[in-house]
Amino acid sequence: MKLVNRHIDKYGVGHVTLRPEDDEDMWHLYNLIQVGDSIRAPAVRRVQNVSSTGSTESHRIRLNLTIQVGRVDFSSSAAPSGSAVESPTEQSGSSAPPTSAALHIAGRVTSENPHVKLGAFHTLDIEANRDVRIEKLDGWDSVAIARVDEAIIPGRGAEVGAVVCGEGTAAFCLLSQHMTLVANRINVPIPRKSAASGASQYEKGMAKFYATLYESFIRHIPYGTAGLRAIVIASPGWVRDGVLTYLLEEAGRRGDKTLQRALKEKAVKLTGIAAILTFPLDVEVVEAEEREAKEEEERAKEEQGQ
């Protein structure tokens, strides 16, 4: 969550403008916004124009609307809102956000607008990376301000950072008291070992994978925060061992003592089965990697037998 601006006086009167970026940000907004608050956010509105001949023309326009909150709905899987509109001429809409959660805020329009009547009903579909301005009905108390402060801290609330990986693939996850988020995924093609090319192309592919994984790790796992209790490296086969070894060695080469200390104190290696139990979002990925690892082992045994 990004804090765009905050103007609150000593009496708690004022507004805060926030920019949600992921599912947990949507969850924070859901808990922050209450009935009676004033919300200003981008919206898409269907407008009808009547010509001098009496014909009507309908089209959608994007505009900013301010509403007084009557209802707030949160869904962990994004879906269009279709039950909170009173008439076809008062539909709301938005482009699909790059998140899996959805936040819908319904209420009456409270600001003058050339396209929307004062008091008209509207549902705001909150989008990722779009600014949301909030004014509290009874002013900003210490609880609401503390929630804003928590939401804008990078990696806020995350108790476990995890990397679920296979050869060339990795998913970076953050586990908090609110929900589990997949912060990023990488996929680096790894050439197969063969008698013609030898191990050189395979090793080059793995070296590129490790380098890409390291950059994504330091960007998406908040290893320096005191609240992070564990760093989980999970994979089928031996991949987790190579990943952890590379992270430690590269952190040493770059002189990143914070990362070295975090890995030594908090790193936990898990097998593919444990990864499935801990990270249900990546069941199919891990299962596919496990099948692939088993097939590689069987092929290796066959080659040795020949």
Side-chain angles (χ1 to χ4, degrees), residues 217 222-225 231 251 255-266:
F217 182 94
Y223 58 87
T225 61
I231 299 173
D256 192 339
K257 295 182 179 179
T258 302
L259 177 55
Q260 281 184 302
R261 182 169 58 254
L263 290 171
K264 291 177 181 178
E265 295 176 355
K266 303 177 181 180

Side-chain angles (χ1 to χ4, degrees), residues 34-140:
Q34 298 175 318
V35 173
D37 292 349
S38 178
I39 305 296
R40 183 173 180 82
V44 176
R45 186 82 174 185
R46 185 184 296 278
V47 177
Q48 287 186 343
N49 296 324
V50 181
S51 67
S52 57
T53 60
S55 61
T56 60
E57 182 183 74
S58 177
H59 62 279
R60 290 179 177 271
I61 60 171
R62 179 173 286 275
L63 69 167
N64 288 316
L65 288 181
T66 303
I67 67 172
Q68 185 173 31
V69 178
R71 190 179 74 250
V72 185
D73 296 319
F74 175 84
S75 173
S76 58
S77 58
S81 174
S83 60
V85 293
E86 290 185 340
S87 71
T89 60
E90 296 181 354
Q91 293 181 4
S92 66
S94 67
S95 58
T99 56
S100 61
L103 182 62
H104 308 293
I105 306 172
R108 300 284 178 178
V109 176
T110 60
S111 63
E112 293 286 350
N113 191 290
H115 301 289
V116 184
K117 294 180 180 180
L118 197 64
F121 189 88
H122 191 87
T123 299
L124 294 172
D125 297 331
I126 302 304
E127 303 177 20
N129 299 309
R130 300 282 187 177
D131 294 353
V132 179
R133 173 173 163 152
I134 306 170
E135 292 185 41
K136 303 297 289 181
L137 175 64
D138 299 319
W140 289 86

